Amino acid sequence: MSFQIGIVGLPNVGKSTLFNAITKSKVEAANYPFATIDPNVGVVAVPDERLAKLAHLENSEKVVPTTIEFVDIAGLVKGASQGEGLGNQFLSHIREVDAILEVVRHFESKDIIHVQGSVDPQRDMETIGLELQLADLQNVEKRLESVQRGAKSGDRDLVIKKQVLEKYQAALNAGQMANTVSLTDEEKEHSKDIQLLTNKPMLFVANQSFDLAKKEFPNAKCQIPNAITIDAQLESELSELDEAERSEYLRELGLKDSGLDKIIKAAYQTLGLITFITAGPKESKAWTCTKGSKAPQAAGKIHTDFEKGFIRAEVIQWDKLLEAKGYAGARSKGWLRVEGKEYVIQDGDVVHFLFNV
């Protein structure tokens, strides 16, 4: 399962530079607004040492990591919801993403202009937040116009949908995000097709200039809760190195993880995702599923027939399989467990599904 993350922010905050770095792509990263007019999509393999080690153990012919799609969106400016800059052309590109990654500029530079004249992270975040809210409000009001007519006829589904839209409308008019709205279970069922930007999980990147002499990031002017601190330009330089050189350079800088590693960890945590693995001589592959998924639902990520005809699953944690030096050793030690339909898949599980066709 691949999921999408839309990268947003004001022009010249480092969005395209970051996108280039983490996807090793070469879209234009120019010193003027709207260098990226059409959305650029990059598919990134999720680094996973567990998969690599299991593939080596099984001498797999093919190794398939799980992936993330990053969508680089044109810069959003104040007034976009009213048509400024690229207006809602920008907003339409992130309706379908699973999460939004907002890049906030913290670095000073005489060479890179700021569309609002100065670097002010808090103001920039408020600008982006307001434009997303206004775009959602327009969407909600448009939907309400069409739903209200049907609701007057007494159609229960439309009556419930009208209630949901009115709740969203009230919150957005009050300057709140759609994700602050509390819905009943019935209302949640009727809100699934209402794609609101401020209902999506948000990740924040504080784009700072890493101090190479002190080997640290400077204190941010704006404290963003749970922000991922990254130097997009440094990440761009790291992306040009091979794996060994990159790891060595990170060690020299005193950094544990690359920017991509930080983003992936934060995305998985925010979206509530985990990874399980299927490993064998033909192929070792990583799969992504929602935390709390039971074995049949996880099997369905491989193929819908696996879920429909699920019988049982053979399960072992990846490190125990390595310790046992393979499935034969795991069976002899009694470490390979047989689990049924109620088993909840754990991160790092190596699974073999048995099913009826």
Side-chain angles (χ1 to χ4, degrees), residues 82-139:
Q82 303 301 319
E84 292 295 324
L86 293 175
N88 285 332
Q89 180 183 337
F90 149 83
L91 297 167
S92 66
H93 294 315
I94 56 172
R95 295 285 181 203
E96 302 302 321
V97 299
D98 297 289
I100 296 173
L101 178 72
E102 181 180 338
V103 181
V104 184
R105 178 171 169 175
H106 285 68
F107 66 89
E108 298 279 356
S109 174
K110 294 178 182 178
D111 300 321
I112 303 176
I113 61 174
H114 192 293
V115 290
Q116 296 196 48
S118 62
V119 175
D120 186 336
Q122 189 63 47
R123 178 202 61 207
D124 294 352
M125 289 178 64
E126 289 172 359
T127 297
I128 296 291
L130 178 59
E131 293 305 322
L132 296 180
Q133 288 171 23
L134 289 172
D136 278 350
L137 185 58
Q138 287 180 7
N139 185 7

Side-chain angles (χ1 to χ4, degrees), residues 180-346:
T180 63
V181 173
S182 178
L183 300 177
T184 65
D185 290 341
E186 187 178 23
E187 287 172 337
K188 286 176 184 176
E189 282 298 312
H190 288 78
S191 69
K192 288 180 179 178
D193 66 333
I194 304 173
Q195 293 285 342
L196 298 182
L197 302 172
T198 61
N199 238 345
K200 295 182 182 297
M202 292 283 294
L203 303 166
F204 294 91
V205 161
N207 187 13
Q208 299 187 37
S209 296
F210 185 77
D211 190 324
L212 294 173
K214 295 182 179 179
K215 296 184 178 180
E216 64 181 16
F217 284 101
N219 291 327
K221 291 181 181 178
C222 168
Q223 296 298 321
I224 309 172
N226 303 316
I228 309 158
T229 304
I230 286 175
D231 181 336
Q233 189 56 49
L234 175 61
E235 293 298 324
S236 182
E237 294 169 10
L238 284 167
S239 72
E240 299 297 326
L241 305 176
D242 63 33
E243 185 62 39
E245 291 175 321
R246 185 162 55 253
S247 297
E248 179 59 29
Y249 192 25
L250 284 170
R251 278 195 295 271
E252 288 177 8
L253 296 175
L255 296 173
K256 280 184 63 179
D257 300 309
S258 69
L260 176 59
D261 292 334
K262 291 179 182 179
I263 290 170
I264 288 171
K265 288 177 182 178
Y268 268 71
Q269 184 174 7
T270 300
L271 292 170
L273 302 174
I274 61 170
T275 300
F276 70 93
I277 298 167
T278 53
K282 287 188 176 181
E283 179 183 85
S284 285
K285 186 169 183 175
W287 304 86
T288 302
C289 68
T290 304
K291 187 176 182 180
S293 294
K294 292 183 179 179
Q297 287 72 54
K301 298 297 179 184
I302 300 174
H303 198 286
T304 53
D305 287 347
F306 283 31
E307 180 174 2
K308 292 175 184 175
F310 179 88
I311 300 173
R312 62 182 182 276
E314 293 182 332
V315 184
I316 185 172
Q317 265 287 304
W318 71 279
D319 53 346
K320 299 301 286 184
L321 184 58
L322 287 177
E323 186 181 341
K325 295 183 171 56
Y327 291 104
R331 284 192 177 89
S332 68
K333 294 177 181 293
W335 291 352
L336 196 63
R337 310 187 312 275
V338 174
E339 301 287 358
K341 293 181 178 180
E342 295 304 310
Y343 177 71
V344 176
I345 296 291
Q346 302 298 307

Side-chain angles (χ1 to χ4, degrees), residues 95-96 134-152 157-169 172 187-197 199-200:
R95 295 285 181 203
E96 302 302 321
L134 289 172
D136 278 350
L137 185 58
Q138 287 180 7
N139 185 7
V140 166
E141 290 177 341
K142 186 176 179 181
R143 294 287 297 272
L144 259 175
E145 285 180 17
S146 62
V147 167
Q148 282 172 334
R149 290 190 293 270
K152 286 179 181 178
D157 287 344
L158 292 178
V159 169
I160 300 299
K161 183 155 288 186
K162 178 175 173 287
Q163 289 176 195
V164 172
L165 289 166
E166 285 174 341
K167 283 188 176 184
Y168 282 139
Q169 184 184 42
L172 292 164
E187 287 172 337
K188 286 176 184 176
E189 282 298 312
H190 288 78
S191 69
K192 288 180 179 178
D193 66 333
I194 304 173
Q195 293 285 342
L196 298 182
L197 302 172
N199 238 345
K200 295 182 182 297

